Amino acid sequence: MTAYTLDMVADRLNLSLKIVRRYVAAGALVAYKERSRYVVYESDLKVFEQTGKQQSVKSDNSHPSKSAHKGADNTQLLLFDLAPFAADNKNRQGKNTSSTDNVNWADISPYWNRTAQSGLTFIDLFCGAGGLSRGLEMAGLEGICGLDFFKEAGMTYRRNFRHPFIYGDITKPEIKEELYRTVSKQLAGRKLNVISGGFPCQGFSMAGNRIADDPRNTLYKEMLEIVRTLQPDFVLCENVKGLRSMLGGAVEKKIIADYKAIGYEMNVTTLCAADYYTPQKRERVIFIGNRLGLKNYHPKPILTPDEYITTGQAIGDLVNHPEDPGFNHIPTRHNEEMQRRIMDCPEGESLYKGYSDAWKKCPWNEASCTVKENHGGVNLHPKLPRVLTAREMARLQSFPDDFIFEGPKNKQLVQIGNAVPCLLAKAIGLAIRIAADELK
């Protein structure tokens, strides 16, 4: 019987490895420990792929493995009642449905290189280092406040933005009160136009005893509460593409329904960052909603695939750049055997079998594959026997060179890998300005 490693499962389901591990920890996805790793058998994976409602997942003793994974409780417990939204989504699971999305496309190309300052204001929840914030500022919006619980990301945010950053747990009442006070002070009587945020999609994971108390399981609801309280004109939610297929599409419907219940009509689709001058084929699902009865716009792609900015164009000038800690450019030193293996690895493939994203070599003459910091494995340089530096990763995420990341190198890589590409965020910001009738 076919067995898959958790990395292979993540690749097949288009989810992060972290989320797959949490499904296993919850007992929602049955896995078996063989030697030093967990594997998932085909039959159990099919059961998991078909789930859209609460059901019990029990260990199948017929599997040829003697050591079953010991989850605390194999009964699936959903944090939200998603069953009403799951009924007609069997055909959507695992597919990119952007071709059938109800999307209003806005042509942002006339404004791309002549972006005047906007009168629109925004706050950025779960802001991380500030890729989304920087992109919205590039679109002319005014930042009011950022909030996150990642210490080093907060250090980076404070360094690169003039508006305040709140460091703390968004689930704590005192942190939300600090947010409300800060926003009120910064606005000084003006209107808050946009609340943006990339809430962790673990908020929709199936919870078992091991993760029931994980604070991330309520972060989606926290953002919803803040929107309900502050009543911005627009809401912008971004997330991983895999969210669209979670629980057979029920999660996406739940988000749309929840925002409709508090007065926001939402439109959603998947955008590719490379379509907007980002040298990376990174896809994100983007929800845009408003409570003003306006049409929600998503940015029409500017570039076609044959026009994409390539990895070589983005980082080629750094090949001979000297080591520069102040520029976040510190090359990793590998032993001779590792250098040989990196050079022998074909472009577009991973150094290690079973990995889908980690240790993957970026193609030189194409837009890069998705860059991320993945449990210590970052992308390989296409021409040099090493992994990418933080600055090279930042270039592929379309951060400007004057955007400097704080913290040790490993924390910088996490910040960059988790960020929204700045130019993708710029495109979204321009679309929101068109919806608000600011750009003509």
Side-chain angles (χ1 to χ4, degrees):
M1 184 177 294
T2 304
Y4 301 89
T5 65
L6 298 190
D7 298 282
M8 295 166 68
V9 171
D11 188 46
R12 174 164 163 173
L13 299 178
N14 196 25
L15 298 173
S16 70
L17 181 60
K18 184 180 291 186
I19 293 175
V20 170
R21 285 173 172 164
R22 290 190 173 276
Y23 278 124
V24 171
L29 175 61
V30 177
Y32 298 86
K33 192 168 186 179
E34 293 186 354
R35 297 184 180 88
S36 60
R37 66 178 185 176
Y38 285 104
V39 298
V40 177
Y41 288 96
E42 178 74 27
S43 59
D44 290 315
L45 187 53
K46 285 183 177 180
V47 169
F48 180 78
E49 288 178 314
Q50 293 168 359
T51 186
K53 299 179 180 180
Q54 293 188 23
Q55 58 177 305
S56 295
V57 179
K58 300 298 182 180
S59 297
D60 182 354
N61 294 325
S62 65
H63 284 312
S65 173
K66 295 182 180 180
S67 57
H69 171 57
K70 303 297 183 182
D73 183 352
N74 278 343
T75 301
Q76 297 179 11
L77 300 174
L78 299 187
L79 284 166
F80 304 92
D81 181 14
L82 294 171
F85 305 96
D88 62 349
N89 284 281
K90 291 183 180 179
N91 294 328
R92 295 182 55 189
Q93 188 158 339
K95 297 181 180 178
N96 179 358
T97 58
S98 60
S99 62
T100 59
D101 294 337
N102 181 20
V103 184
N104 304 303
W105 295 107
D107 182 6
I108 61 172
S109 58
Y111 315 105
W112 189 261
N113 292 318
R114 55 180 186 89
T115 305
Q117 190 61 32
S118 168
L120 301 184
T121 59
F122 74 90
I123 65 172
D124 191 359
L125 307 178
F126 318 109
C127 63
L132 183 56
S133 288
R134 176 48 56 92
L136 292 178
E137 285 192 345
M138 288 175 172
L141 282 73
E142 178 187 349
I144 297 299
C145 183
L147 185 152
D148 204 281
F149 192 47
F150 186 173
K151 178 181 177 182
E152 287 78 10
M155 293 163 56
T156 295
Y157 199 96
R158 286 193 174 109
R159 173 169 183 156
N160 291 281
F161 295 95
R162 294 182 178 179
H163 57 262
F165 169 82
I166 297 174
Y167 169 67
D169 182 350
I170 198 172
T171 67
K172 303 295 185 184
E174 61 269 25
I175 296 300
K176 283 200 284 288
E177 285 304 315
E178 182 181 356
L179 172 68
Y180 297 148
R181 288 195 304 270
T182 301
V183 170
S184 177
K185 180 179 179 181
Q186 289 295 111
L187 288 173
R190 294 177 297 162
K191 181 186 293 186
L192 177 62
N193 300 108
V194 182
I195 289 183
S196 64
F199 54 85
C201 54
Q202 289 94 330
F204 294 103
S205 297
M206 298 175 183
N209 292 340
R210 294 188 182 186
I211 61 172
D213 295 327
D214 188 330
R216 290 176 298 180
N217 288 330
T218 63
L219 295 182
Y220 163 74
K221 294 196 293 184
E222 298 296 344
M223 181 172 176
L224 192 69
E225 178 187 332
I226 290 170
V227 170
R228 183 190 294 112
T229 300
L230 293 180
Q231 291 286 294
D233 294 336
F234 292 86
V235 177
L236 163 60
C237 303
E238 66 83 26
N239 221 293
V240 296
K241 177 183 173 183
L243 178 144
R244 308 204 70 179
S245 60
M246 290 181 69
L247 301 180
V251 167
E252 180 179 315
K253 286 194 171 185
K254 172 68 173 173
I255 294 170
I256 293 172
D258 282 350
Y259 276 96
K260 185 179 180 65
I262 63 171
Y264 291 82
E265 292 291 337
M266 282 271 187
N267 292 81
V268 57
T269 196
T270 303
L271 301 180
C272 179
D275 292 338
Y276 313 98
Y277 295 100
T278 300
Q280 181 190 171
K281 299 173 186 176
R282 190 185 191 99
E283 293 185 307
R284 305 295 286 186
V285 58
I286 305 297
F287 296 80
I288 298 176
N290 77 86
R291 63 182 182 88
L292 304 178
L294 302 174
K295 185 177 290 186
N296 296 312
Y297 286 106
H298 282 80
K300 181 181 178 181
I302 299 174
L303 302 180
T304 58
D306 62 315
E307 299 172 318
Y308 285 170
I309 308 300
T310 69
T311 300
Q313 289 173 320
I315 67 172
D317 64 308
L318 298 178
V319 168
N320 297 313
H321 196 287
E323 180 173 320
D324 186 352
F327 188 50
N328 304 128
H329 187 66
I330 306 175
T332 302
R333 293 174 174 82
H334 306 281
N335 61 41
E336 290 186 5
E337 173 61 17
M338 186 63 164
Q339 291 182 43
R340 181 192 63 78
R341 293 184 60 199
I342 291 174
M343 293 302 290
D344 289 343
C345 181
E347 291 184 6
E349 295 188 15
S350 174
L351 191 66
Y352 298 102
K353 292 182 179 179
Y355 282 86
S356 58
D357 292 313
W359 300 96
K360 194 171 184 177
K361 181 173 283 189
C362 302
W364 186 255
N365 292 317
E366 300 177 21
S368 170
C369 47
T370 300
V371 299
K372 60 174 67 175
E373 194 290 327
N374 191 350
H375 302 284
V378 298
N379 296 69
L380 305 180
H381 196 287
K383 299 295 185 182
L384 300 176
R386 60 170 174 78
V387 297
L388 298 177
T389 66
R391 178 51 53 193
E392 288 164 340
M393 283 184 65
R395 287 269 189 94
L396 297 181
Q397 285 277 61
S398 64
F399 279 96
D401 281 351
D402 62 356
F403 196 104
I404 303 301
F405 296 86
E406 296 284 353
K409 181 179 175 181
N410 66 324
K411 298 296 185 181
Q412 294 172 15
L413 295 176
V414 173
Q415 294 172 52
I416 298 167
N418 288 341
V420 177
C422 300
L423 294 183
L424 172 60
K426 176 183 177 179
I428 296 167
L430 290 174
I432 291 176
R433 291 187 65 180
I434 290 175
D437 200 30
E438 268 209 347
L439 299 176
K440 298 183 183 296

